[in-house]
Amino acid sequence: MAHYSAHQQAAAGAVPAHFKDLFTSGRLGSAEQDNGNSRNNNNGRDDNNEQENRLNNANNNGQSEAECWVFGYGSLCWHPGFTFSKCITGYVRGFVRRFWQGNATHRGTEEKPGRVATLMKDKEGITWGCAYRVSGNTALEYLKQRECTLGGYATLEAKFFPRVASQDAPFSGEAVEVLVYVATPENQHWLGEAPLSEIAHQIATSRGPSGHNAEYLLRLAMFMHEEIPGVRDEHLFELERLVLDELYRQEIPMSSVMGRNPDRIRRDSHEDIRRQPSFEFTSRVPETKLRCLNI
């Protein structure tokens, strides 16, 4: 499995220059104006297990802020903690999700770090998650503190492919550039590869200021089961099974692990009917009718 090439890495906490430029001179991936439409806001609170979606008017005196997209594949899938205007499920190519990053600030302690997800380069890999559209620099500053300063992640760019094609720009089947937070072996919290049984034991027995480490993994698995049914993530789902077994073996009640339920995030809001995930954007293919043949 290949690691990141130097030219593909960004310094820890540094946002790629052209992403930063978006907030002064340009837009990324979306020419859509939300004037007159409802906007989903997700505001973080002191308790990282609690989140809130509110509907506000997107039209601010007729002005629209510059926007970009951020890809979430870990806790961002179920607890973004920042204000966003749209959430779309989909995937990035060339990466696999692995629980190889240590965590001593959210889901563990310095004495007993937990394990959280990162992305590792894999030429054949696909990682599913969701992309959030954000405006202004407030969300990026929050993410810099949460993911980079406290989590040890760096930033890179990737192409995001939507789960379902839509006429709602820019998601008409084409990829859009997104900002991704990843952990590399150079950061101080890196734990690296280990047998899944050891990783599961560590997750099942670790807790930090944001809650139990098992909640992080189980809610991520729940996101995959509920939002993207039919897609298999062998690493994640095997860890889910092992962690549940470990909790049962140690007689750790789920009520002490899961904390309070976060509010449900409205994803893929352009779709009234949930469709099975597909790598082919079939909604763009014209309907074909077959004639009956008498043979």
Side-chain angles (χ1 to χ4, degrees), residues 160-198:
F160 173 82
F161 296 84
R163 181 180 65 95
V164 181
S166 170
Q167 298 302 314
D168 186 14
F171 291 98
S172 55
E174 296 85 359
V176 65
E177 194 171 23
V178 291
L179 188 65
V180 187
Y181 292 86
V182 300
T184 64
E186 288 73 28
N187 86 87
Q188 61 176 332
H189 302 298
W190 182 258
L191 294 177
E193 188 172 7
L196 289 183
S197 59
E198 293 182 12

Short mmCIF file of all heavy atoms in Angstrom, two decimals, residues 160-198:
data_model
loop_
_atom_site.label_atom_id
_atom_site.label_comp_id
_atom_site.label_asym_id
_atom_site.label_seq_id
_atom_site.Cartn_x
_atom_site.Cartn_y
_atom_site.Cartn_z
N PHE A 160 -14.42 14.43 -5.50
CA PHE A 160 -15.58 13.81 -4.87
C PHE A 160 -16.63 13.49 -5.93
O PHE A 160 -16.96 14.32 -6.77
CB PHE A 160 -16.16 14.77 -3.83
CG PHE A 160 -17.46 14.30 -3.22
CD1 PHE A 160 -17.48 13.39 -2.18
CD2 PHE A 160 -18.68 14.80 -3.67
CE1 PHE A 160 -18.66 12.97 -1.60
CE2 PHE A 160 -19.87 14.40 -3.11
CZ PHE A 160 -19.86 13.48 -2.07
N PHE A 161 -17.15 12.26 -5.87
CA PHE A 161 -18.16 11.80 -6.81
C PHE A 161 -19.48 11.61 -6.07
O PHE A 161 -19.54 10.85 -5.10
CB PHE A 161 -17.73 10.49 -7.47
CG PHE A 161 -16.49 10.62 -8.30
CD1 PHE A 161 -15.24 10.54 -7.69
CD2 PHE A 161 -16.56 10.82 -9.67
CE1 PHE A 161 -14.08 10.66 -8.45
CE2 PHE A 161 -15.41 10.94 -10.43
CZ PHE A 161 -14.17 10.86 -9.82
N PRO A 162 -20.56 12.27 -6.48
CA PRO A 162 -21.84 12.16 -5.78
C PRO A 162 -22.45 10.78 -5.92
O PRO A 162 -22.26 10.10 -6.92
CB PRO A 162 -22.70 13.23 -6.47
CG PRO A 162 -22.12 13.32 -7.84
CD PRO A 162 -20.64 13.14 -7.67
N ARG A 163 -23.20 10.38 -4.89
CA ARG A 163 -23.87 9.09 -4.91
C ARG A 163 -24.94 9.03 -5.99
O ARG A 163 -25.15 8.00 -6.63
CB ARG A 163 -24.50 8.82 -3.54
CG ARG A 163 -25.22 7.48 -3.40
CD ARG A 163 -25.79 7.33 -2.01
NE ARG A 163 -26.84 8.30 -1.76
CZ ARG A 163 -28.14 8.04 -1.93
NH1 ARG A 163 -28.54 6.86 -2.36
NH2 ARG A 163 -29.03 8.97 -1.67
N VAL A 164 -25.66 10.12 -6.14
CA VAL A 164 -26.77 10.17 -7.08
C VAL A 164 -26.60 11.40 -7.97
O VAL A 164 -26.31 12.48 -7.48
CB VAL A 164 -28.12 10.26 -6.34
CG1 VAL A 164 -29.28 10.29 -7.33
CG2 VAL A 164 -28.28 9.08 -5.38
N ALA A 165 -26.79 11.22 -9.26
CA ALA A 165 -26.74 12.35 -10.18
C ALA A 165 -27.91 13.28 -9.92
O ALA A 165 -28.97 12.86 -9.49
CB ALA A 165 -26.78 11.86 -11.63
N SER A 166 -27.71 14.55 -10.17
CA SER A 166 -28.76 15.53 -9.92
C SER A 166 -28.64 16.69 -10.88
O SER A 166 -27.57 16.99 -11.40
CB SER A 166 -28.64 16.04 -8.48
OG SER A 166 -29.48 17.14 -8.26
N GLN A 167 -29.74 17.35 -11.10
CA GLN A 167 -29.71 18.58 -11.87
C GLN A 167 -29.30 19.76 -11.01
O GLN A 167 -29.13 20.88 -11.49
CB GLN A 167 -31.11 18.85 -12.46
CG GLN A 167 -31.58 17.77 -13.42
CD GLN A 167 -30.64 17.58 -14.60
OE1 GLN A 167 -30.20 18.56 -15.20
NE2 GLN A 167 -30.34 16.33 -14.92
N ASP A 168 -29.16 19.51 -9.71
CA ASP A 168 -28.81 20.54 -8.76
C ASP A 168 -27.30 20.77 -8.81
O ASP A 168 -26.53 20.03 -8.22
CB ASP A 168 -29.25 20.11 -7.36
CG ASP A 168 -29.05 21.20 -6.33
OD1 ASP A 168 -28.84 22.35 -6.73
OD2 ASP A 168 -29.13 20.89 -5.13
N ALA A 169 -26.85 21.77 -9.53
CA ALA A 169 -25.43 22.03 -9.74
C ALA A 169 -24.69 22.10 -8.41
O ALA A 169 -25.23 22.62 -7.44
CB ALA A 169 -25.24 23.32 -10.52
N PRO A 170 -23.44 21.62 -8.32
CA PRO A 170 -22.66 21.06 -9.41
C PRO A 170 -22.79 19.55 -9.54
O PRO A 170 -22.04 18.93 -10.27
CB PRO A 170 -21.24 21.40 -8.98
CG PRO A 170 -21.28 21.24 -7.49
CD PRO A 170 -22.66 21.72 -7.08
N PHE A 171 -23.72 18.94 -8.82
CA PHE A 171 -23.77 17.48 -8.76
C PHE A 171 -24.66 16.91 -9.86
O PHE A 171 -25.78 16.53 -9.66
CB PHE A 171 -24.25 17.02 -7.38
CG PHE A 171 -23.24 17.31 -6.32
CD1 PHE A 171 -23.35 18.44 -5.53
CD2 PHE A 171 -22.14 16.49 -6.15
CE1 PHE A 171 -22.41 18.72 -4.57
CE2 PHE A 171 -21.19 16.77 -5.20
CZ PHE A 171 -21.32 17.88 -4.41
N SER A 172 -24.10 16.84 -11.06
CA SER A 172 -24.81 16.25 -12.20
C SER A 172 -24.05 15.02 -12.68
O SER A 172 -24.12 14.66 -13.84
CB SER A 172 -24.95 17.27 -13.32
OG SER A 172 -23.68 17.79 -13.68
N GLY A 173 -23.29 14.41 -11.78
CA GLY A 173 -22.54 13.22 -12.13
C GLY A 173 -21.05 13.45 -12.23
O GLY A 173 -20.27 12.52 -12.17
N GLU A 174 -20.63 14.72 -12.39
CA GLU A 174 -19.22 15.02 -12.49
C GLU A 174 -18.60 15.13 -11.10
O GLU A 174 -19.30 15.40 -10.11
CB GLU A 174 -18.99 16.32 -13.26
CG GLU A 174 -19.44 16.29 -14.70
CD GLU A 174 -20.93 16.60 -14.86
OE1 GLU A 174 -21.59 16.83 -13.81
OE2 GLU A 174 -21.42 16.58 -15.98
N ALA A 175 -17.30 14.94 -11.04
CA ALA A 175 -16.60 15.08 -9.77
C ALA A 175 -16.42 16.56 -9.45
O ALA A 175 -16.39 17.41 -10.33
CB ALA A 175 -15.24 14.39 -9.85
N VAL A 176 -16.32 16.85 -8.16
CA VAL A 176 -16.05 18.21 -7.71
C VAL A 176 -14.87 18.16 -6.74
O VAL A 176 -14.69 17.17 -6.02
CB VAL A 176 -17.29 18.84 -7.04
CG1 VAL A 176 -17.65 18.10 -5.77
CG2 VAL A 176 -17.08 20.32 -6.76
N GLU A 177 -14.07 19.19 -6.73
CA GLU A 177 -12.90 19.23 -5.86
C GLU A 177 -13.34 19.50 -4.42
O GLU A 177 -14.17 20.37 -4.16
CB GLU A 177 -11.94 20.32 -6.33
CG GLU A 177 -10.56 20.22 -5.71
CD GLU A 177 -9.57 21.16 -6.37
OE1 GLU A 177 -10.02 22.16 -6.96
OE2 GLU A 177 -8.37 20.89 -6.29
N VAL A 178 -12.77 18.72 -3.50
CA VAL A 178 -13.09 18.87 -2.08
C VAL A 178 -11.82 18.95 -1.26
O VAL A 178 -10.75 18.50 -1.67
CB VAL A 178 -13.95 17.69 -1.56
CG1 VAL A 178 -15.34 17.71 -2.16
CG2 VAL A 178 -13.27 16.35 -1.82
N LEU A 179 -11.96 19.54 -0.09
CA LEU A 179 -10.88 19.58 0.89
C LEU A 179 -11.04 18.38 1.81
O LEU A 179 -12.14 18.08 2.27
CB LEU A 179 -10.97 20.88 1.70
CG LEU A 179 -9.82 21.20 2.66
CD1 LEU A 179 -8.54 21.43 1.88
CD2 LEU A 179 -10.17 22.43 3.48
N VAL A 180 -9.94 17.66 2.07
CA VAL A 180 -9.98 16.45 2.89
C VAL A 180 -8.92 16.55 3.98
O VAL A 180 -7.79 16.99 3.73
CB VAL A 180 -9.71 15.18 2.04
CG1 VAL A 180 -9.93 13.93 2.88
CG2 VAL A 180 -10.58 15.15 0.81
N TYR A 181 -9.30 16.14 5.18
CA TYR A 181 -8.36 16.10 6.30
C TYR A 181 -7.89 14.66 6.49
O TYR A 181 -8.70 13.75 6.66
CB TYR A 181 -9.03 16.63 7.57
CG TYR A 181 -9.35 18.10 7.49
CD1 TYR A 181 -10.54 18.54 6.92
CD2 TYR A 181 -8.45 19.06 7.94
CE1 TYR A 181 -10.83 19.90 6.81
CE2 TYR A 181 -8.72 20.41 7.84
CZ TYR A 181 -9.92 20.82 7.27
OH TYR A 181 -10.18 22.17 7.17
N VAL A 182 -6.57 14.46 6.44
CA VAL A 182 -5.99 13.13 6.57
C VAL A 182 -4.85 13.16 7.58
O VAL A 182 -4.25 14.20 7.82
CB VAL A 182 -5.47 12.59 5.22
CG1 VAL A 182 -6.59 12.49 4.20
CG2 VAL A 182 -4.34 13.46 4.69
N ALA A 183 -4.57 12.01 8.16
CA ALA A 183 -3.43 11.87 9.06
C ALA A 183 -2.32 11.14 8.32
O ALA A 183 -2.58 10.21 7.56
CB ALA A 183 -3.82 11.09 10.31
N THR A 184 -1.10 11.57 8.51
CA THR A 184 0.06 10.93 7.88
C THR A 184 0.96 10.36 8.97
O THR A 184 0.88 10.77 10.14
CB THR A 184 0.85 11.94 7.04
OG1 THR A 184 1.39 12.96 7.90
CG2 THR A 184 -0.05 12.60 6.00
N PRO A 185 1.83 9.43 8.62
CA PRO A 185 2.70 8.81 9.64
C PRO A 185 3.63 9.79 10.34
O PRO A 185 4.20 9.45 11.38
CB PRO A 185 3.51 7.78 8.81
CG PRO A 185 2.62 7.46 7.65
CD PRO A 185 1.93 8.75 7.31
N GLU A 186 3.78 11.01 9.81
CA GLU A 186 4.69 11.97 10.42
C GLU A 186 4.10 12.67 11.64
O GLU A 186 4.83 13.31 12.39
CB GLU A 186 5.11 13.03 9.39
CG GLU A 186 6.05 12.52 8.31
CD GLU A 186 5.34 11.61 7.30
OE1 GLU A 186 4.12 11.79 7.10
OE2 GLU A 186 6.02 10.74 6.72
N ASN A 187 2.79 12.59 11.86
CA ASN A 187 2.21 13.34 12.96
C ASN A 187 2.39 12.60 14.29
O ASN A 187 2.54 11.37 14.32
CB ASN A 187 0.72 13.65 12.68
CG ASN A 187 -0.20 12.53 13.10
OD1 ASN A 187 -0.64 12.45 14.25
ND2 ASN A 187 -0.50 11.66 12.15
N GLN A 188 2.36 13.36 15.38
CA GLN A 188 2.72 12.82 16.70
C GLN A 188 1.71 11.80 17.23
O GLN A 188 2.04 10.99 18.10
CB GLN A 188 2.84 13.96 17.71
CG GLN A 188 1.54 14.75 17.91
CD GLN A 188 1.66 15.82 18.97
OE1 GLN A 188 2.46 15.68 19.90
NE2 GLN A 188 0.88 16.90 18.85
N HIS A 189 0.48 11.80 16.70
CA HIS A 189 -0.53 10.88 17.21
C HIS A 189 -0.61 9.57 16.42
O HIS A 189 -1.42 8.71 16.76
CB HIS A 189 -1.91 11.56 17.17
CG HIS A 189 -1.97 12.84 17.95
ND1 HIS A 189 -1.77 12.89 19.31
CD2 HIS A 189 -2.21 14.12 17.56
CE1 HIS A 189 -1.89 14.14 19.73
NE2 HIS A 189 -2.15 14.90 18.68
N TRP A 190 0.20 9.43 15.41
CA TRP A 190 0.10 8.27 14.51
C TRP A 190 0.35 6.96 15.26
O TRP A 190 1.32 6.82 16.01
CB TRP A 190 1.11 8.41 13.38
CG TRP A 190 1.07 7.30 12.38
CD1 TRP A 190 1.92 6.24 12.26
CD2 TRP A 190 0.11 7.15 11.32
NE1 TRP A 190 1.56 5.44 11.21
CE2 TRP A 190 0.45 5.97 10.61
CE3 TRP A 190 -0.99 7.89 10.90
CZ2 TRP A 190 -0.28 5.53 9.51
CZ3 TRP A 190 -1.71 7.45 9.81
CH2 TRP A 190 -1.36 6.28 9.12
N LEU A 191 -0.54 5.98 15.06
CA LEU A 191 -0.38 4.66 15.66
C LEU A 191 -0.08 3.60 14.61
O LEU A 191 0.62 2.63 14.88
CB LEU A 191 -1.64 4.27 16.44
CG LEU A 191 -1.94 5.12 17.67
CD1 LEU A 191 -3.26 4.69 18.30
CD2 LEU A 191 -0.81 5.04 18.68
N GLY A 192 -0.65 3.75 13.43
CA GLY A 192 -0.35 2.84 12.34
C GLY A 192 -1.12 1.54 12.39
O GLY A 192 -2.03 1.33 13.18
N GLU A 193 -0.71 0.64 11.51
CA GLU A 193 -1.40 -0.63 11.32
C GLU A 193 -1.19 -1.54 12.53
O GLU A 193 -0.14 -1.53 13.18
CB GLU A 193 -0.89 -1.31 10.06
CG GLU A 193 -1.66 -2.54 9.66
CD GLU A 193 -1.24 -3.07 8.30
OE1 GLU A 193 -0.26 -2.53 7.73
OE2 GLU A 193 -1.88 -4.00 7.80
N ALA A 194 -2.22 -2.36 12.80
CA ALA A 194 -2.16 -3.35 13.88
C ALA A 194 -3.22 -4.40 13.58
O ALA A 194 -4.13 -4.16 12.78
CB ALA A 194 -2.41 -2.69 15.24
N PRO A 195 -3.13 -5.58 14.19
CA PRO A 195 -4.19 -6.58 14.01
C PRO A 195 -5.54 -5.99 14.40
O PRO A 195 -5.64 -5.23 15.37
CB PRO A 195 -3.77 -7.71 14.95
CG PRO A 195 -2.29 -7.57 15.07
CD PRO A 195 -2.01 -6.09 15.02
N LEU A 196 -6.58 -6.34 13.65
CA LEU A 196 -7.90 -5.77 13.91
C LEU A 196 -8.38 -6.07 15.33
O LEU A 196 -9.07 -5.25 15.95
CB LEU A 196 -8.91 -6.29 12.89
CG LEU A 196 -8.76 -5.76 11.46
CD1 LEU A 196 -9.87 -6.30 10.57
CD2 LEU A 196 -8.76 -4.24 11.44
N SER A 197 -8.03 -7.22 15.85
CA SER A 197 -8.45 -7.55 17.22
C SER A 197 -7.84 -6.59 18.23
O SER A 197 -8.50 -6.19 19.21
CB SER A 197 -8.05 -8.99 17.56
OG SER A 197 -6.65 -9.16 17.44
N GLU A 198 -6.58 -6.18 18.01
CA GLU A 198 -5.94 -5.21 18.91
C GLU A 198 -6.56 -3.83 18.77
O GLU A 198 -6.77 -3.12 19.76
CB GLU A 198 -4.44 -5.15 18.62
CG GLU A 198 -3.68 -6.42 18.97
CD GLU A 198 -2.19 -6.29 18.72
OE1 GLU A 198 -1.73 -5.14 18.50
OE2 GLU A 198 -1.50 -7.33 18.74
#
